[in-house]
Amino acid sequence: PTVRRLKLVSLMNERCIELQQKSVKEPSKECDAKRQKKTGKCPFYRSDPMQEFKYTSLTAVRDIEELREVGTQMGTCPYYGTRFSVPYAHLIVLPYQMLLHHNTREALGITLRGSVVIIDEAHNLMDTISAVYGAEIRGNQVMSSHDQLKRYFEKYQKRLNAKNLMYV
C-alpha cells in the first residue's frame, strides 16, 4: 500500500521491514500525517498466498514485471514470494553484481555449487569485480595511517616483543 508510493528502493526496503514487525504505525487517512494509527503486519506478507505464489512463479519463465503482476493478482508480495522460490528454481536471471557478491547471494539463498553460470556482457566483468571487491585509498589516508602507526610504535615500542614489532 504505502510502500508502492515510495520512490527509492532503500525506503521501500525499510518500510517492508517495518511492516513485517509485530505492529507498525501508519499515517491515518482521516487525520494529518503527524497522527498515527496502529495497523497489523503487512497485508501482502502472508504464508498461504506466498506459498501459492512461490509455486506459481516456478511454472513458467517470467520477467520481473510479470512476477509483479502475478503477485498483485494473488494479493501477495511478489518480492518475498520470488525470494522464497529461488531454492526451487532451475533458472535464475539476475545482475551479475549480485551473483559475484557472496553476502548478496547468501541473502537471496543462491548456491553456486553444482550450478551452470552464464554471464552475459562479460566484457564488463572485470570492472564489476573491481567495483564489488575493490577499494580506493587516497594518499592522505595512507599518510594518516602511517602517522598513526608511527605514534603507536613510539608509544608501545618498549612493550612489544620482536615478533609484534615485525608486524608494526
Side-chain angles (χ1 to χ4, degrees):
T2 58
V3 175
R4 289 188 182 155
R5 287 183 280 202
L6 300 171
K7 301 294 181 204
L8 299 174
V9 174
S10 60
L11 293 176
M12 289 180 197
N13 287 337
E14 287 177 21
R15 186 64 179 146
C16 282
I17 290 169
E18 287 174 9
L19 286 170
Q20 291 176 46
Q21 303 301 320
K22 197 167 201 165
S23 64
V24 295
K25 292 185 177 183
E26 187 175 288
S28 173
K29 291 180 183 176
E30 295 84 33
C31 52
D32 62 23
K34 290 183 181 180
R35 294 186 59 199
Q36 306 280 312
K37 70 174 184 177
K38 279 197 169 189
T39 62
K41 289 184 176 184
C42 176
F44 299 104
Y45 193 85
R46 295 172 296 150
S47 181
D48 291 341
M50 198 86 67
Q51 293 298 322
E52 187 179 338
F53 176 86
K54 174 175 74 174
Y55 296 120
T56 303
S57 68
L58 295 170
T59 59
V61 177
R62 294 184 171 86
D63 68 15
I64 194 166
E65 292 302 320
E66 291 170 331
L67 289 168
R68 185 183 64 78
E69 184 62 34
V70 170
T72 302
Q73 289 172 357
M74 296 177 79
T76 190
C77 178
Y79 175 73
Y80 283 104
T82 304
R83 285 186 67 173
F84 292 143
S85 67
V86 166
Y88 307 101
H90 293 284
L91 174 67
I92 301 170
V93 179
L94 70 156
Y96 54 82
Q97 294 86 338
M98 296 174 83
L99 183 72
L100 295 172
H101 192 258
H102 175 73
N103 292 342
T104 304
R105 274 196 326 268
E106 201 171 75
L108 293 172
I110 297 172
T111 56
L112 296 180
R113 181 165 284 135
S115 298
V116 175
V117 177
I118 300 171
I119 297 178
D120 188 21
E121 297 189 32
H123 61 275
N124 296 325
L125 192 57
M126 293 309 290
D127 292 335
T128 301
I129 291 171
S130 294
V132 170
Y133 292 105
E136 186 176 304
I137 301 174
R138 294 190 173 83
N140 63 345
Q141 292 171 316
V142 173
M143 294 300 294
S144 176
S145 297
H146 181 265
D147 290 342
Q148 290 173 0
L149 282 171
K150 187 176 173 183
R151 280 185 264 143
Y152 179 86
F153 178 76
E154 290 168 357
K155 184 173 182 176
Y156 296 106
Q157 181 178 6
K158 293 180 179 161
R159 296 184 194 174
L160 298 173
N161 63 31
K163 187 175 180 180
N164 290 336
L165 286 172
M166 181 180 73
Y167 291 125
V168 175

